[in-house]
Amino acid sequence: MKRKLVMATLSLSLVFSTYTVSAETLSSIKEKKEKNRSEQTEKQGELKKNQNQQDHTLDQIQKLESSIDKTLKDIGNKKESIQETKASIEKLKKEIDVLKKRIKERDALLKERVTSMYESGGAVNYLDVVLGSKDFGDFLDRVFALNVIAEQDKAILEEHKQDKESVEKKKGQVESELLSLNSDLTELEGLNQKLTDQKKQKNALLAQLETEEDHLHDHIMQLDETNELLSAQEAAIKAEIERAKREEAERKKREAEARAAAAAAAEKAREEAAAREKNKSNSGSGSGSSPAPTPPPAPTPAPAPVSRDFIMPSQGFITSGFGNRSAGMHYGMDIAQGGSTVPIVAAASGTVTRAYYSSSYGNVVYITHYINGQLYTTLYAHMRSTPAVSQGQSVSQGTFLGYQGNTGASRGQHLHFELHKGPWNGSKSNAVDPRPYLQ
């Protein structure tokens, strides 16, 4: 009874703690929104001065990113075309080899025929062959034989002519294919150079953008974007806490059902043991007292499954960690791996706060998590294309979000991942090193 009372007290404490944390968090977000609105009013004039230039530069960057994607596709198609041309050339060469072999064999046969004709004194005297017939039947046989020989000679010569023409034709095709191949290789070289130039141009524009906005490379966003994110975060936190409460209620329900099943099994085992002992006592009455029955041991509960609160959001090497750098504070870690389709997944279950295109983060996803009474926010930036999830969506750990990319203020394909212990804010005061949480 006391134990139940203690458990009930702890549960109530946890619930009140949850509501307190939730209320404090939402209040803090509202304060930050008000502060941002004040700053926005003060800096409105300053922002207007360079906003047009920044928008123009960002528009150029987005167009370049689209152009780079098209160039990559063109390079892939051209490589495929080159492989097909090479395969076609190899096929034609094999066909030419077969024809040359046939021509060589037929040349030997014709040479043998010519030699035979020379040794016999020249061409066959058809009149002598016909007049030398013994009878009319022999005459017909000889005429038929002469016709067959003539037709065979004609067919051999015709095939010889066709094969030689075919060889010349296929040689012409090979030369044409080689010209096409060389043209494709030259075009491929041009596409690769175009891709290099496009990347240089994008990097130059990024450098220009960083000059216009000193902290752009540190992923500091516009005040409008920050306010929109904070507003979305309010809704996400409420939804996430509700989701966590539902999951907790379901977990407690499953545990209660498991305990009830275990208790029922134990009670049934005790009853069966008592019945067996009673039958044993009745069958052996009068032979002396028997020892009291030993109750069966309670069933051992199954071990709780081992789970990790956070998993690695993508495969690859950590190319830049959390902490101060020469360019300023890096509030997350960068994960990169070669290949055009490196998937990104949710590090933990939660609610999608925002999924959109940011001027600094590129294609980015924010997820709010409520784990063991603690609020967390994770951020996944620079994804290749539009995120695979949407704002307000509830996601499970491991849910596919998109692919590593190079959008926004980025200088190469990678995932920029941030972990905030608490709600996200513009100053990133809640940002923590993600690595200890991912071990």
Side-chain angles (χ1 to χ4, degrees), residues 65-284:
E65 285 171 354
S66 299
S67 182
I68 286 171
D69 284 342
K70 183 180 183 303
T71 304
L72 286 170
K73 288 179 183 177
D74 290 342
I75 288 173
N77 293 335
K78 190 57 61 180
K79 285 182 177 179
E80 186 177 342
S81 174
I82 287 170
Q83 291 301 319
E84 290 175 356
T85 304
K86 286 182 177 179
S88 176
I89 289 172
E90 288 301 316
K91 182 181 177 183
L92 284 169
K93 285 181 177 179
K94 288 179 181 178
E95 291 174 355
I96 289 172
D97 288 340
V98 170
L99 288 170
K100 283 183 175 179
K101 183 178 178 182
R102 251 185 5 224
I103 290 171
K104 184 178 180 182
E105 290 172 352
R106 202 179 286 111
D107 277 341
L109 176 63
L110 291 173
K111 184 178 180 181
E112 183 180 343
R113 292 289 299 275
V114 170
T115 302
S116 175
M117 290 169 64
Y118 175 77
E119 290 175 350
S120 63
V124 176
N125 191 327
Y126 289 94
L127 187 60
D128 291 344
V129 172
V130 172
L131 293 177
S133 303
K134 296 177 182 178
D135 51 34
F136 186 71
D138 186 34
F139 170 78
L140 292 177
D141 289 340
R142 290 185 177 216
V143 169
F144 180 75
L146 288 173
N147 286 334
V148 169
I149 291 171
E151 287 296 327
Q152 286 180 343
D153 287 347
K154 183 179 178 182
I156 290 172
L157 290 171
E158 186 63 30
E159 287 176 2
H160 207 52
K161 178 183 176 184
Q162 288 178 358
D163 283 351
K164 285 187 174 182
E165 289 176 352
S166 182
V167 167
E168 294 303 317
K169 182 180 178 181
K170 289 184 184 296
K171 282 182 178 179
Q173 286 179 324
V174 169
E175 290 177 2
S176 175
E177 294 280 5
L178 284 172
L179 286 174
S180 175
L181 178 61
N182 289 331
S183 175
D184 284 346
L185 288 171
T186 302
E187 191 174 343
L188 177 61
E189 185 178 347
L191 286 171
N192 283 322
Q193 184 59 49
K194 179 182 178 182
L195 180 63
T196 301
D197 293 342
Q198 286 172 337
K199 287 180 177 180
K200 285 181 180 178
Q201 190 177 355
K202 180 188 173 183
N203 288 338
L205 287 171
L206 283 171
Q208 177 186 340
L209 195 61
E210 288 179 0
T211 301
E212 294 162 359
E213 181 62 52
D214 293 340
H215 301 290
L216 184 61
H217 62 280
D218 287 328
H219 305 122
I220 292 180
M221 298 180 295
Q222 298 289 336
L223 291 175
D224 285 338
E225 187 178 347
T226 300
N227 280 340
E228 288 176 12
L229 180 56
L230 288 170
S231 296
Q233 193 167 230
E234 283 186 273
I237 289 172
K238 292 175 183 176
E240 179 57 18
I241 290 175
E242 287 299 318
R243 184 196 65 80
K245 285 166 64 177
R246 286 195 302 272
E247 288 189 356
E248 180 66 14
E250 290 173 2
R251 183 186 65 80
K252 287 181 178 179
K253 182 181 177 182
R254 289 194 298 269
E255 289 179 354
E257 290 173 349
R259 285 195 299 270
E267 181 63 26
K268 184 178 179 181
R270 280 194 294 271
E271 290 174 356
E272 290 175 350
R276 286 195 299 271
E277 190 60 33
K278 184 178 180 181
N279 291 335
K280 183 178 178 183
S281 299
N282 292 336
S283 61

Side-chain angles (χ1 to χ4, degrees), residues 247-378:
E247 288 189 356
E248 180 66 14
E250 290 173 2
R251 183 186 65 80
K252 287 181 178 179
K253 182 181 177 182
R254 289 194 298 269
E255 289 179 354
E257 290 173 349
R259 285 195 299 270
E267 181 63 26
K268 184 178 179 181
R270 280 194 294 271
E271 290 174 356
E272 290 175 350
R276 286 195 299 271
E277 190 60 33
K278 184 178 180 181
N279 291 335
K280 183 178 178 183
S281 299
N282 292 336
S283 61
S285 60
S287 60
S289 61
S290 58
T294 304
T300 305
V306 178
S307 63
R308 295 166 59 195
D309 292 338
F310 295 93
I311 61 173
M312 284 293 289
S314 189
Q315 295 179 343
F317 298 97
I318 297 174
T319 56
S320 182
F322 179 90
N324 279 303
R325 301 185 304 186
S326 58
M329 181 66 182
H330 190 236
Y331 289 97
M333 70 180 192
D334 296 340
I335 305 170
Q337 178 170 295
S340 59
T341 54
V342 184
I344 299 168
V345 300
S349 298
T351 301
V352 177
T353 312
R354 282 206 80 188
Y356 70 115
Y357 185 89
S358 165
S359 60
S360 56
Y361 284 117
N363 290 306
V364 61
V365 172
Y366 293 77
I367 301 179
T368 298
H369 316 271
Y370 196 72
I371 303 171
N372 301 325
Q374 174 64 51
L375 189 71
Y376 295 93
T377 307
T378 53

